[in-house]
Amino acid sequence: CALPIWVILASLGLDAIKDFYLGVNVGEAATEFNGGLTYSEQRGILKLLAYHDGPAAQPAFVSAKWITVTSMKFSLLDTYTAIRELLDAMNPAVGGMVQGQIKGLNKQLGVDLERDLLGSLGDDVIVASAPRPGASADAPVPLTEFDQFYALSLQNAAAFTNAVEALKRMMGPQGDKLFEKREYLNQTIYTYAGSKAGAGQKGFSYSITPKYLFIAAGTPAVIETALQGLDGKQPTLWQLPEVKEALADVPAKACSLQYQDTHAMIGSVIETVAQLAPMFASKAKAPESEEEGETSEKPDSDKSPFDLSAKPDSSALAKYWSNAAGYAWKNSQGLYFHSKLNHAK
């Protein structure tokens, strides 16, 4: 028989949620956003919000050329544990079956995935968006030409590497051939070669360093940039005066912080619109539906909803767009955030 709705809500922890709020304050110097999610206790799906107390890391490999960066204290192991507990609470039989399958897989692989894979991860997580090499605020590229970068701190790189290699061996003799392997600055970069990334598709690469796992969706260039910054000798985002100013009010206990070069991001958004303009123009060629007794006229072949000749340059955008920054923090009663879109001076 179906479970009563209150049993389901209690199992999911939804009955522990108290408030969700969001406030916006438009000021002269900045537009500020404040919000939060409060609860009576953190259980059920609320445990998926596995943030740890700060400070959030500011590693040297974060390049000054990256447009958006988020650094957070977040445990993937705690999230996995919360999912397992949720499954057990909702359906113990299914939860037990899944755990049995995982134990069988561990035996087949010769590793303990929870201990060696997830347990080898730390709680520093970096997420960034980076334009391909050669791009800048003065020469922006469309968002389709951005690389996505992820970094996860490692507590035991050797155990993590062993678990990853075991998973690849499970694919059979062809498993190792799915990744092209090359050395770069005394580190190894693996790029998925199972299918070549075509237009509009993202490639996948990763590199395991002694302290971090680097992952790239796009080209491996963003991993190369991160590896160049491991020794702290490359310009890093955190050293930029405008970044220091934007993050000056971030408290030490913040479990997450974020910075965005909004000026550069808007430039890339405009380039994306310009890239899509021919598609809109081709759609505009389609004849309007004809009314009885009338003949519709086809639009000019060059008709487009955008006037690309009016596209603003970097200096024009700088008059209106600056940067944005924010942070989040938590306590036993909830998770809260504050972000600020700074107005151009």
Side-chain angles (χ1 to χ4, degrees), residues 12-333:
L12 293 175
L14 295 176
D15 60 331
I17 295 176
K18 297 173 65 177
D19 302 294
F20 174 75
Y21 62 91
L22 173 66
V24 181
N25 179 35
V26 181
E28 183 176 348
T31 298
E32 298 188 49
F33 304 85
N34 294 280
L37 172 68
T38 64
Y39 38 78
S40 57
E41 59 178 315
Q42 191 173 6
R43 57 179 171 80
I45 62 172
L46 294 175
K47 292 186 72 173
L48 298 177
L49 303 173
Y51 289 96
H52 288 183
D53 290 333
Q58 297 185 14
F61 61 74
V62 174
S63 172
K65 297 179 181 179
W66 295 353
I67 288 183
T68 67
V69 175
T70 298
S71 175
M72 66 187 90
K73 286 284 188 181
F74 190 90
S75 172
L76 291 177
L77 177 59
D78 288 352
T79 299
Y80 165 78
T81 302
I83 293 173
R84 190 179 64 188
E85 292 174 353
L86 266 175
L87 193 56
D88 289 339
M90 293 295 295
N91 194 322
V94 173
M97 182 180 66
V98 171
Q99 287 305 306
Q101 291 176 338
I102 293 176
K103 288 180 180 178
L105 181 60
N106 287 341
K107 186 175 181 180
Q108 179 183 352
L109 295 174
V111 298
D112 185 319
L113 291 176
E114 182 175 341
R115 181 196 65 203
D116 300 331
L117 192 71
L118 294 174
S120 294
L121 296 173
D123 61 0
D124 290 327
V125 179
I126 310 294
V127 181
S129 295
R132 304 283 169 83
S136 66
D138 294 324
V141 297
L143 297 176
T144 52
E145 297 183 26
F146 273 45
D147 292 326
Q148 301 302 314
F149 174 81
Y150 308 89
L152 307 174
S153 62
L154 294 173
Q155 299 183 101
N156 189 335
F160 184 84
T161 300
N162 185 47
V164 170
E165 292 301 315
L167 287 169
K168 287 162 66 175
R169 287 194 299 270
M170 189 177 67
M171 301 177 190
Q174 299 299 317
D176 198 49
K177 296 180 181 179
L178 289 176
F179 290 88
E180 295 178 352
K181 176 181 175 181
R182 63 187 176 91
E183 300 300 312
Y184 186 84
L185 298 180
N186 298 319
Q187 302 294 336
T188 305
I189 299 177
Y190 298 86
T191 300
Y192 179 65
S195 61
K196 299 297 182 182
Q201 294 181 316
K202 295 281 189 180
F204 171 81
S205 302
Y206 76 91
S207 180
I208 301 174
T209 75
K211 293 184 178 180
Y212 281 92
L213 164 67
F214 292 158
I215 300 172
T219 72
V222 68
I223 290 183
E224 294 176 2
T225 300
L227 292 176
Q228 292 167 15
L230 277 178
D231 59 4
K233 296 180 180 179
Q234 298 293 326
T236 184
L237 182 80
W238 319 113
Q239 296 173 343
L240 299 178
E242 62 270 27
V243 177
K244 288 183 176 181
E245 181 181 358
L247 298 177
D249 62 346
V250 176
K253 66 178 182 179
C255 58
S256 173
L257 62 85
Q258 182 181 43
Y259 176 82
Q260 179 188 78
D261 183 344
T262 311
H263 169 209
M265 179 59 75
I266 293 298
S268 289
V269 169
I270 291 174
E271 288 299 319
T272 305
V273 172
Q275 184 186 60
L276 296 175
M279 179 184 70
F280 288 104
S282 64
K283 288 185 177 181
K285 294 178 184 179
E288 302 288 342
S289 60
E290 298 182 4
E291 296 184 7
E292 185 177 352
E294 296 182 3
T295 303
S296 63
E297 295 182 2
K298 293 184 178 181
D300 296 336
S301 61
D302 294 332
K303 185 176 180 180
S304 169
F306 305 108
D307 180 4
L308 298 184
S309 66
K311 186 173 66 173
D313 59 16
S314 178
S315 60
L317 293 175
K319 296 178 182 178
Y320 304 97
W321 299 97
S322 177
N323 57 36
Y327 58 89
W329 72 100
K330 65 184 289 288
N331 58 28
S332 60
Q333 285 81 44

